[in-house]
Amino acid sequence: MAVKITSVAKQLPKYYRETKDIIPFVKLWMQDQDTRFQRKVIKLFEGAAVDKRYSIMDPEEVFTATSFEEKNNIYKREVTQLAEKSLQKSLDKANLKATDIDYIITVSCTGIMIPSVDAYLINSLGMKQDIVRLPVTEMGCAAGVSGIIYAKNFLKSNPNKRAAVVAVEAPTATFQLEDYSMANIVSAAIFGDGASSVILSSYQDDEGPEIVDEAMYHFYDATHMMGFNLVNSGLQMILDKEVPQKIADHFPKIIHPFLEKNNLSIEDVNHLIFHPGGKKIVQTVEELFGVLGKNINDTKEVLRLYGNMSSATVLYVLERFMDRNPKKGERGIMLSFGPGFSAQRILLEW
């Protein structure tokens, strides 16, 4: 029984700034630091390959010493609204009602809320009272792909059902005003906020790319490389500078066996739907795929236009491909990396 992706839709927060307009705030933030360090930080922002990013807060709020409680309350209020708008858009694209969804997975790692976002969506959209819920909270950037994998496995066992995966993230709510580490600076330079929703179906007549296969790949001894520390001021970014090299070292084992299991090679793949983790990771993967005769131009464009929105970002790349209506028989690989350290992969066929 085939499971298909029938629609994808994004939703952006109301605040946005071009990087050039954020630089004055960065300079003010860094004013008491060493002059050479200040120049290095400004250069990092300017060279991050992110022209613009959206946020649930205006820059004045982001660069204000609010408490964890205050930032998290903004997170809860804003991401709930983003998630609802995104899910409604994806339902409209697929010509569905909220009551047509049997399984809802919500994905977010940039704030804390209990009950999770899905509970609010069930109420605000009037979804089924017997809908199955799964909040995914601790898989970081990989969770957009992870959510699709979990939804696919549910639908594979349940014919004539539909699932929604809603990824909503606000990394700006995790910004640490008193932290001048490179991990905090790099994350501030590359991250933005946003939401995206995907509708999947096990109805035979529903249209969209079929999920042919999926797999996870876990790196040993790499739990220290990516994630958050929970500190008094909120969620403090962990981002090891060795991440791009780690990806390069494992890349052949991530891609080729997965394709070979499906009697394919990279030459048989038309589209690379890769999560834009940041400039260095994008450059690493671009070089690796470039040797194989492929490009990740859409990944670079999503990073440029929106920044890295954690789990939601790869779904922005997927939406670009879906909206182009690829030809029947074309294939794509979705690929994301996240805390653990892990790689999540999905093979699609139109």
Side-chain angles (χ1 to χ4, degrees), residues 150-238:
Y150 301 145
K152 185 258 187 179
N153 289 335
F154 172 85
L155 293 172
K156 194 74 175 175
S157 304
N158 293 276
N160 297 327
K161 299 285 186 182
R162 295 186 180 94
V165 177
V166 184
V168 57
E169 302 283 13
T172 54
T174 72
F175 175 68
Q176 300 292 307
L177 194 65
E178 302 300 326
D179 180 3
Y180 298 99
S181 69
M182 288 310 297
N184 188 51
I185 291 166
V186 169
S187 65
I190 65 174
F191 279 105
D193 302 346
S196 186
S197 296
V198 182
I199 306 296
L200 300 94
S201 175
S202 57
Y203 281 86
Q204 184 175 351
D205 294 336
D206 283 354
E207 296 184 352
E210 178 184 348
I211 299 176
V212 177
D213 198 8
E214 77 288 330
M216 298 185 183
Y217 178 95
H218 301 284
F219 298 67
Y220 289 131
D221 303 318
T223 54
H224 64 283
M225 299 194 75
M226 185 185 291
F228 285 115
N229 282 323
L230 182 55
V231 297
N232 287 338
S233 54
L235 295 167
Q236 183 184 51
M237 175 63 69
I238 301 168

Coordinates of all heavy atoms in Angstrom, one line a residue, residues 150-238:
Y150 N 7.6 8.8 10.8 CA 6.6 8.2 11.8 C 5.2 8.2 11.2 O 4.4 7.3 11.4 CB 6.6 9.1 13.1 CG 7.9 9.1 13.8 CD1 8.3 10.3 14.4 CD2 8.8 8.1 13.8 CE1 9.5 10.4 15.1 CE2 10.0 8.1 14.4 CZ 10.4 9.3 15.0 OH 11.6 9.4 15.7
A151 N 4.8 9.3 10.4 CA 3.5 9.3 9.8 C 3.4 8.2 8.7 O 2.3 7.6 8.6 CB 3.3 10.7 9.2
K152 N 4.4 8.0 8.0 CA 4.4 7.0 6.9 C 4.2 5.6 7.5 O 3.4 4.8 7.0 CB 5.7 7.1 6.1 CG 5.7 6.1 4.9 CD 6.5 4.9 5.2 CE 6.7 4.0 4.0 NZ 7.5 2.8 4.2
N153 N 4.9 5.3 8.6 CA 4.7 4.0 9.3 C 3.3 3.8 9.8 O 2.8 2.7 9.7 CB 5.8 3.9 10.4 CG 7.2 3.7 9.8 OD1 7.4 3.3 8.7 ND2 8.2 4.1 10.6
F154 N 2.7 4.9 10.3 CA 1.3 4.8 10.8 C 0.4 4.5 9.6 O -0.5 3.6 9.7 CB 0.9 6.1 11.5 CG -0.6 6.2 11.8 CD1 -1.1 5.6 13.0 CD2 -1.4 6.8 11.0 CE1 -2.4 5.7 13.3 CE2 -2.8 6.9 11.3 CZ -3.3 6.3 12.4
L155 N 0.5 5.2 8.6 CA -0.3 5.1 7.4 C -0.1 3.8 6.7 O -1.1 3.2 6.1 CB -0.1 6.3 6.4 CG -0.6 7.6 7.0 CD1 -0.1 8.7 6.0 CD2 -2.1 7.7 7.2
K156 N 1.1 3.3 6.7 CA 1.4 2.0 6.1 C 0.5 0.9 6.7 O 0.1 -0.1 6.0 CB 2.9 1.7 6.2 CG 3.3 0.5 5.3 CD 3.4 1.0 3.8 CE 4.0 -0.1 3.0 NZ 4.0 0.3 1.5
S157 N 0.3 1.0 8.0 CA -0.5 0.0 8.7 C -2.0 0.3 8.7 O -2.8 -0.5 9.3 CB 0.0 -0.1 10.1 OG 1.4 -0.4 10.2
N158 N -2.4 1.5 8.2 CA -3.8 1.9 8.3 C -4.2 2.5 7.0 O -4.0 3.6 6.7 CB -3.9 3.0 9.4 CG -3.7 2.5 10.8 OD1 -4.6 1.9 11.4 ND2 -2.4 2.6 11.3
P159 N -4.8 1.6 6.1 CA -5.3 2.1 4.8 C -6.4 3.1 5.0 O -7.1 3.2 6.0 CB -5.8 0.8 4.1 CG -6.1 -0.1 5.3 CD -5.1 0.2 6.3
N160 N -6.5 4.0 4.0 CA -7.6 5.0 3.9 C -7.6 5.9 5.1 O -8.6 6.2 5.8 CB -8.9 4.4 3.7 CG -9.0 3.6 2.4 OD1 -8.4 4.0 1.4 ND2 -9.8 2.5 2.4
K161 N -6.4 6.4 5.5 CA -6.2 7.3 6.6 C -5.3 8.5 6.1 O -4.6 8.4 5.1 CB -5.5 6.7 7.8 CG -6.3 5.5 8.4 CD -7.5 6.0 9.2 CE -8.2 4.9 9.9 NZ -9.4 5.3 10.6
R162 N -5.3 9.6 6.8 CA -4.5 10.7 6.5 C -3.8 11.2 7.7 O -4.3 11.1 8.8 CB -5.3 11.9 5.8 CG -5.9 11.5 4.5 CD -6.5 12.7 3.8 NE -7.1 12.4 2.5 CZ -8.4 12.0 2.3 NH1 -9.2 12.0 3.4 NH2 -8.8 11.7 1.1
A163 N -2.6 11.8 7.5 CA -1.8 12.3 8.6 C -1.3 13.7 8.3 O -1.1 14.0 7.2 CB -0.6 11.3 8.9
A164 N -1.1 14.4 9.4 CA -0.5 15.8 9.2 C 0.8 15.8 10.1 O 0.8 15.4 11.2 CB -1.4 16.9 9.7
V165 N 1.9 16.4 9.5 CA 3.1 16.6 10.2 C 3.3 18.1 10.3 O 3.4 18.8 9.2 CB 4.3 16.0 9.6 CG1 5.6 16.3 10.3 CG2 4.1 14.4 9.5
V166 N 3.3 18.7 11.4 CA 3.4 20.2 11.6 C 4.7 20.5 12.3 O 4.9 20.1 13.5 CB 2.2 20.7 12.4 CG1 2.3 22.3 12.5 CG2 0.9 20.3 11.8
A167 N 5.6 21.1 11.6 CA 6.9 21.5 12.2 C 6.9 23.0 12.4 O 6.7 23.8 11.5 CB 8.1 21.1 11.3
V168 N 7.1 23.4 13.7 CA 7.1 24.9 14.0 C 8.2 25.2 15.0 O 8.3 24.5 16.0 CB 5.7 25.3 14.5 CG1 5.3 24.5 15.8 CG2 5.6 26.8 14.8
E169 N 9.0 26.1 14.6 CA 10.2 26.4 15.4 C 10.5 27.9 15.5 O 10.1 28.7 14.6 CB 11.5 25.8 14.7 CG 11.4 24.3 14.4 CD 11.7 23.5 15.7 OE1 11.7 24.1 16.8 OE2 11.9 22.3 15.6
A170 N 11.0 28.3 16.7 CA 11.4 29.7 16.9 C 12.8 29.7 17.6 O 12.9 30.0 18.8 CB 10.3 30.3 17.8
P171 N 13.9 29.5 16.8 CA 15.2 29.6 17.4 C 15.6 30.9 18.0 O 16.4 30.9 18.9 CB 16.1 29.2 16.2 CG 15.2 28.4 15.3 CD 13.9 29.0 15.4
T172 N 14.9 32.0 17.5 CA 15.3 33.3 18.1 C 14.9 33.3 19.6 O 15.4 34.1 20.4 CB 14.6 34.4 17.4 OG1 13.2 34.2 17.3 CG2 15.2 34.6 16.0
A173 N 13.9 32.5 20.0 CA 13.5 32.4 21.4 C 14.6 31.8 22.3 O 14.5 31.8 23.5 CB 12.2 31.7 21.6
T174 N 15.6 31.2 21.7 CA 16.7 30.5 22.4 C 17.9 31.4 22.5 O 18.9 30.9 23.1 CB 17.0 29.1 21.8 OG1 17.7 29.4 20.5 CG2 15.8 28.3 21.5
F175 N 17.9 32.5 21.9 CA 19.1 33.4 21.9 C 19.5 33.8 23.3 O 18.7 34.2 24.1 CB 18.8 34.6 21.0 CG 19.9 35.7 21.0 CD1 21.2 35.4 20.4 CD2 19.8 36.9 21.7 CE1 22.2 36.3 20.4 CE2 20.8 37.8 21.7 CZ 22.0 37.5 21.1
Q176 N 20.8 33.6 23.6 CA 21.4 33.9 24.9 C 22.1 35.2 24.9 O 23.2 35.3 24.3 CB 22.3 32.8 25.3 CG 21.6 31.4 25.4 CD 20.6 31.4 26.5 OE1 20.9 31.7 27.7 NE2 19.3 31.0 26.2
L177 N 21.6 36.2 25.5 CA 22.1 37.6 25.5 C 23.5 37.7 26.2 O 24.4 38.5 25.8 CB 21.2 38.6 26.1 CG 21.4 40.1 25.9 CD1 21.3 40.4 24.4 CD2 20.5 40.9 26.7
E178 N 23.7 36.9 27.2 CA 25.0 36.9 28.0 C 26.0 35.9 27.5 O 27.0 35.7 28.2 CB 24.7 36.8 29.5 CG 23.7 37.8 30.0 CD 24.2 39.2 29.9 OE1 25.4 39.4 30.0 OE2 23.4 40.1 29.7
D179 N 25.7 35.2 26.4 CA 26.6 34.1 25.9 C 27.3 34.6 24.7 O 26.7 34.8 23.6 CB 25.8 32.9 25.7 CG 26.6 31.7 25.2 OD1 27.8 31.8 25.1 OD2 26.0 30.7 24.8
Y180 N 28.7 34.8 24.8 CA 29.4 35.2 23.6 C 30.2 34.1 23.0 O 31.3 34.3 22.3 CB 30.4 36.4 24.0 CG 29.6 37.6 24.5 CD1 29.4 37.8 25.9 CD2 29.0 38.4 23.6 CE1 28.7 38.9 26.3 CE2 28.3 39.5 24.1 CZ 28.1 39.8 25.4 OH 27.4 40.9 25.8
S181 N 29.8 32.8 23.2 CA 30.4 31.7 22.6 C 30.2 31.6 21.1 O 29.2 32.2 20.6 CB 29.9 30.4 23.3 OG 28.6 30.2 22.9
M182 N 31.0 31.0 20.4 CA 30.8 30.9 18.9 C 29.6 30.1 18.6 O 28.9 30.4 17.6 CB 32.1 30.2 18.3 CG 33.3 31.1 18.2 SD 32.9 32.8 17.6 CE 32.4 32.4 15.9
A183 N 29.2 29.1 19.4 CA 28.0 28.3 19.2 C 26.7 29.3 19.2 O 25.9 29.2 18.3 CB 27.8 27.2 20.2
N184 N 26.7 30.2 20.2 CA 25.6 31.1 20.3 C 25.6 32.1 19.2 O 24.6 32.5 18.6 CB 25.6 31.8 21.6 CG 24.3 32.6 21.9 OD1 23.2 32.2 21.7 ND2 24.5 33.9 22.3
I185 N 26.8 32.6 18.8 CA 26.9 33.6 17.7 C 26.6 33.0 16.4 O 25.8 33.6 15.6 CB 28.4 34.2 17.8 CG1 28.6 35.0 19.0 CG2 28.6 35.0 16.5 CD1 30.0 35.3 19.3
V186 N 27.1 31.8 16.1 CA 26.8 31.2 14.8 C 25.3 30.9 14.7 O 24.7 31.1 13.6 CB 27.6 29.9 14.7 CG1 27.2 29.0 13.5 CG2 29.1 30.2 14.5
S187 N 24.7 30.4 15.8 CA 23.3 30.1 15.7 C 22.5 31.4 15.5 O 21.5 31.4 14.7 CB 22.8 29.4 17.0 OG 22.9 30.2 18.1
A188 N 22.9 32.5 16.1 CA 22.2 33.7 15.9 C 22.3 34.2 14.4 O 21.4 34.8 13.9 CB 22.7 34.8 16.8
A189 N 23.5 33.9 13.8 CA 23.8 34.3 12.5 C 23.0 33.5 11.4 O 22.7 34.0 10.3 CB 25.3 34.2 12.2
I190 N 22.7 32.3 11.7 CA 22.1 31.4 10.7 C 20.6 31.1 10.9 O 19.9 30.7 10.0 CB 22.9 30.1 10.5 CG1 22.8 29.2 11.8 CG2 24.3 30.4 10.1 CD1 23.4 27.8 11.6
F191 N 20.1 31.2 12.1 CA 18.8 30.7 12.4 C 17.7 31.7 12.2 O 17.9 32.9 12.4 CB 18.7 30.1 13.8 CG 19.2 28.7 14.0 CD1 20.4 28.5 14.6 CD2 18.5 27.7 13.5 CE1 20.9 27.2 14.7 CE2 19.0 26.4 13.6 CZ 20.2 26.1 14.2
G192 N 16.5 31.3 11.8 CA 15.3 32.1 11.8 C 14.1 31.3 12.2 O 14.3 30.1 12.6
D193 N 12.9 31.9 12.3 CA 11.7 31.2 12.8 C 10.8 30.9 11.6 O 10.7 31.6 10.6 CB 11.0 32.0 13.8 CG 11.9 32.4 15.0 OD1 13.0 31.8 15.2 OD2 11.5 33.3 15.7
G194 N 10.0 29.8 11.8 CA 9.0 29.5 10.7 C 8.3 28.2 11.0 O 8.7 27.4 11.9
A195 N 7.3 27.9 10.2 CA 6.5 26.7 10.4 C 6.2 26.1 9.0 O 6.2 26.8 8.0 CB 5.2 27.0 11.1
S196 N 6.0 24.8 9.0 CA 5.5 24.2 7.7 C 4.7 22.9 8.1 O 5.0 22.3 9.1 CB 6.7 23.8 6.9 OG 6.3 23.3 5.6
S197 N 3.8 22.6 7.3 CA 2.9 21.4 7.5 C 2.8 20.6 6.2 O 2.8 21.1 5.1 CB 1.5 21.9 7.9 OG 1.5 22.6 9.1
V198 N 2.8 19.3 6.5 CA 2.8 18.3 5.4 C 1.6 17.4 5.6 O 1.3 16.9 6.8 CB 4.1 17.4 5.4 CG1 4.0 16.4 4.3 CG2 5.3 18.2 5.3
I199 N 0.8 17.1 4.6 CA -0.3 16.1 4.6 C 0.2 14.9 3.9 O 0.7 14.9 2.8 CB -1.6 16.7 4.0 CG1 -1.9 18.0 4.6 CG2 -2.7 15.7 4.1 CD1 -2.3 18.0 6.0
L200 N 0.0 13.7 4.5 CA 0.3 12.4 3.9 C -1.0 11.6 3.9 O -1.9 11.8 4.7 CB 1.3 11.7 4.8 CG 2.7 12.3 4.9 CD1 2.7 13.1 6.2 CD2 3.8 11.3 4.9
S201 N -1.0 10.7 3.0 CA -2.3 9.9 2.8 C -2.0 8.4 2.4 O -1.0 8.2 1.6 CB -3.1 10.5 1.7 OG -4.3 9.8 1.4
S202 N -2.8 7.5 2.8 CA -2.8 6.1 2.4 C -4.0 5.8 1.5 O -4.3 4.6 1.3 CB -2.7 5.2 3.5 OG -3.7 5.3 4.5
Y203 N -4.8 6.8 1.1 CA -5.8 6.6 0.1 C -5.2 6.4 -1.3 O -4.4 7.1 -1.7 CB -6.8 7.8 0.1 CG -7.8 7.9 1.2 CD1 -7.4 8.5 2.4 CD2 -9.0 7.4 1.1 CE1 -8.3 8.7 3.4 CE2 -10.0 7.5 2.1 CZ -9.6 8.1 3.3 OH -10.5 8.3 4.3
Q204 N -5.7 5.4 -2.0 CA -5.2 5.0 -3.3 C -5.3 6.2 -4.3 O -4.4 6.4 -5.1 CB -5.9 3.8 -3.8 CG -5.3 3.3 -5.1 CD -5.9 1.9 -5.5 OE1 -6.7 1.3 -4.8 NE2 -5.6 1.5 -6.7
D205 N -6.4 6.9 -4.2 CA -6.7 7.9 -5.2 C -6.1 9.3 -4.9 O -6.1 10.2 -5.8 CB -8.2 8.1 -5.4 CG -8.9 6.8 -6.0 OD1 -8.2 6.1 -6.7 OD2 -10.1 6.7 -5.8
D206 N -5.5 9.5 -3.7 CA -4.9 10.7 -3.4 C -3.5 10.8 -4.2 O -2.8 9.8 -4.4 CB -4.6 10.9 -1.9 CG -5.9 11.2 -1.2 OD1 -6.9 11.5 -1.8 OD2 -5.9 11.3 0.1
E207 N -3.2 12.0 -4.6 CA -2.0 12.2 -5.5 C -0.9 12.9 -4.8 O -1.1 13.7 -3.8 CB -2.4 13.0 -6.7 CG -3.4 12.3 -7.6 CD -3.7 13.1 -8.9 OE1 -3.3 14.3 -9.0 OE2 -4.4 12.6 -9.8
G208 N 0.3 12.6 -5.2 CA 1.5 13.1 -4.7 C 2.7 12.1 -4.7 O 2.4 11.0 -5.1
P209 N 3.9 12.6 -4.4 CA 5.0 11.6 -4.5 C 4.9 10.5 -3.4 O 4.5 10.8 -2.3 CB 6.2 12.5 -4.2 CG 5.7 13.7 -3.4 CD 4.3 13.9 -4.0
E210 N 5.2 9.3 -3.8 CA 5.1 8.2 -2.9 C 6.4 8.1 -2.1 O 7.5 8.3 -2.6 CB 4.9 6.9 -3.7 CG 4.9 5.6 -2.8 CD 4.8 4.3 -3.6 OE1 4.5 4.4 -4.8 OE2 5.0 3.3 -3.0
I211 N 6.2 7.8 -0.8 CA 7.4 7.5 0.0 C 7.8 6.0 -0.2 O 7.1 5.1 0.3 CB 7.1 7.7 1.5 CG1 6.7 9.2 1.7 CG2 8.3 7.3 2.4 CD1 6.3 9.5 3.2
V212 N 8.9 5.8 -1.0 CA 9.3 4.5 -1.3 C 10.0 3.8 -0.2 O 9.9 2.6 0.0 CB 10.2 4.6 -2.6 CG1 10.7 3.2 -3.0 CG2 9.5 5.2 -3.8
D213 N 10.9 4.6 0.5 CA 11.6 4.0 1.6 C 12.1 5.1 2.5 O 12.1 6.3 2.2 CB 12.8 3.2 1.1 CG 13.4 2.3 2.1 OD1 12.8 2.1 3.1 OD2 14.5 1.7 1.8
E214 N 12.5 4.7 3.8 CA 13.0 5.7 4.7 C 13.9 5.0 5.6 O 13.9 3.8 5.8 CB 11.8 6.3 5.5 CG 11.2 5.5 6.6 CD 10.4 4.3 6.1 OE1 9.8 4.4 5.0 OE2 10.3 3.3 6.8
A215 N 14.9 5.8 6.2 CA 15.8 5.1 7.1 C 16.5 6.2 8.0 O 16.5 7.4 7.6 CB 16.9 4.4 6.3
M216 N 17.0 5.8 9.2 CA 17.7 6.6 10.0 C 19.1 6.1 10.2 O 19.3 4.9 10.1 CB 17.1 6.7 11.4 CG 15.7 7.3 11.4 SD 15.0 7.5 13.1 CE 13.4 8.1 12.7
Y217 N 20.1 7.0 10.3 CA 21.5 6.6 10.5 C 22.0 7.3 11.7 O 22.0 8.5 11.8 CB 22.3 7.0 9.2 CG 23.8 6.7 9.3 CD1 24.2 5.5 8.7 CD2 24.7 7.6 9.9 CE1 25.6 5.2 8.8 CE2 26.0 7.3 9.9 CZ 26.5 6.1 9.4 OH 27.8 5.8 9.4
H218 N 22.6 6.6 12.7 CA 23.1 7.1 13.9 C 24.6 7.1 14.0 O 25.2 6.0 13.8 CB 22.4 6.4 15.1 CG 20.9 6.5 15.1 ND1 20.2 7.7 15.4 CD2 20.0 5.6 14.7 CE1 18.9 7.5 15.2 NE2 18.7 6.3 14.8
F219 N 25.2 8.2 14.3 CA 26.6 8.3 14.5 C 27.0 7.9 15.9 O 26.4 8.4 16.9 CB 27.1 9.8 14.3 CG 26.8 10.3 12.9 CD1 25.5 10.5 12.4 CD2 27.9 10.7 12.0 CE1 25.3 11.1 11.2 CE2 27.7 11.2 10.8 CZ 26.4 11.4 10.3
Y220 N 27.9 7.1 16.1 CA 28.4 6.7 17.4 C 29.2 7.8 18.0 O 29.9 8.6 17.3 CB 29.2 5.4 17.4 CG 28.4 4.2 17.2 CD1 28.8 3.2 16.2 CD2 27.3 3.9 17.9 CE1 28.1 2.1 16.0 CE2 26.5 2.8 17.7 CZ 26.9 1.8 16.7 OH 26.2 0.7 16.5
D221 N 29.2 8.0 19.3 CA 30.1 8.9 20.1 C 30.0 10.3 19.6 O 31.0 11.0 19.4 CB 31.5 8.4 20.0 CG 31.7 7.0 20.6 OD1 31.1 6.7 21.6 OD2 32.4 6.2 19.9
A222 N 28.8 10.8 19.3 CA 28.6 12.1 18.7 C 27.5 12.9 19.4 O 27.0 13.9 18.9 CB 28.4 12.0 17.2
T223 N 27.1 12.4 20.6 CA 26.0 13.1 21.3 C 26.3 14.5 21.7 O 25.4 15.3 22.0 CB 25.5 12.2 22.5 OG1 26.7 12.0 23.4 CG2 24.9 10.9 22.1
H224 N 27.6 14.8 21.8 CA 28.1 16.1 22.3 C 28.1 17.2 21.2 O 28.3 18.3 21.4 CB 29.5 16.0 22.8 CG 30.5 15.6 21.7 ND1 30.6 14.3 21.3 CD2 31.4 16.3 21.0 CE1 31.5 14.3 20.3 NE2 32.0 15.5 20.1
M225 N 27.8 16.8 19.9 CA 28.0 17.7 18.8 C 26.9 18.7 18.5 O 27.2 19.7 17.9 CB 28.3 16.8 17.5 CG 29.5 15.9 17.6 SD 30.0 15.2 16.1 CE 30.8 16.6 15.4
M226 N 25.7 18.4 18.9 CA 24.6 19.3 18.5 C 23.4 19.1 19.5 O 23.2 18.0 20.0 CB 24.1 18.9 17.1 CG 23.0 19.8 16.5 SD 22.5 19.1 14.9 CE 23.9 19.4 13.9
G227 N 22.8 20.2 19.9 CA 21.7 20.1 20.8 C 21.5 21.4 21.6 O 21.9 22.5 21.2
F228 N 20.9 21.3 22.8 CA 20.7 22.4 23.7 C 21.1 21.9 25.1 O 20.9 20.8 25.5 CB 19.3 22.8 23.8 CG 18.8 23.6 22.6 CD1 17.8 23.1 21.7 CD2 19.3 24.9 22.3 CE1 17.4 23.8 20.7 CE2 18.8 25.6 21.2 CZ 17.9 25.1 20.4
N229 N 21.7 22.9 25.9 CA 21.8 22.8 27.3 C 20.6 23.6 27.9 O 20.4 24.7 27.5 CB 23.1 23.3 27.9 CG 24.3 22.4 27.7 OD1 24.1 21.2 27.8 ND2 25.4 22.9 27.4
L230 N 19.9 23.0 28.9 CA 18.9 23.8 29.6 C 19.6 24.5 30.7 O 20.0 23.9 31.7 CB 17.8 22.8 30.1 CG 16.6 23.5 30.8 CD1 16.0 24.6 29.9 CD2 15.6 22.5 31.2
V231 N 19.6 25.8 30.6 CA 20.3 26.7 31.6 C 19.2 27.6 32.2 O 18.1 27.7 31.7 CB 21.5 27.5 31.0 CG1 22.6 26.5 30.6 CG2 21.0 28.4 29.9
N232 N 19.6 28.4 33.2 CA 18.6 29.3 33.9 C 18.0 30.3 32.9 O 16.8 30.7 33.1 CB 19.2 30.0 35.1 CG 19.5 29.1 36.2 OD1 18.8 28.0 36.4 ND2 20.4 29.5 37.1
S233 N 18.8 30.7 31.9 CA 18.3 31.7 31.0 C 17.6 31.1 29.7 O 17.2 31.8 28.8 CB 19.4 32.6 30.5 OG 20.5 31.8 30.0
G234 N 17.5 29.8 29.7 CA 16.8 29.2 28.6 C 17.5 28.0 28.0 O 18.2 27.3 28.6
L235 N 17.3 27.8 26.6 CA 17.9 26.8 25.9 C 19.2 27.3 25.2 O 19.2 28.2 24.4 CB 17.0 26.2 24.8 CG 15.7 25.6 25.4 CD1 14.7 25.4 24.2 CD2 16.0 24.2 26.0
Q236 N 20.3 26.8 25.7 CA 21.7 27.2 25.2 C 22.2 26.3 24.1 O 22.3 25.1 24.3 CB 22.6 27.3 26.4 CG 24.0 27.8 26.0 CD 24.9 27.7 27.2 OE1 25.1 26.7 27.8 NE2 25.6 28.8 27.5
M237 N 22.5 26.9 22.9 CA 22.9 26.1 21.8 C 24.2 25.3 22.0 O 25.1 25.9 22.5 CB 23.0 27.0 20.6 CG 23.5 26.3 19.3 SD 22.4 25.0 18.7 CE 21.0 26.0 18.1
I238 N 24.2 24.1 21.5 CA 25.4 23.3 21.4 C 25.6 23.0 19.9 O 24.7 22.5 19.2 CB 25.3 21.9 22.1 CG1 25.0 22.1 23.6 CG2 26.6 21.1 21.9 CD1 24.6 20.8 24.3

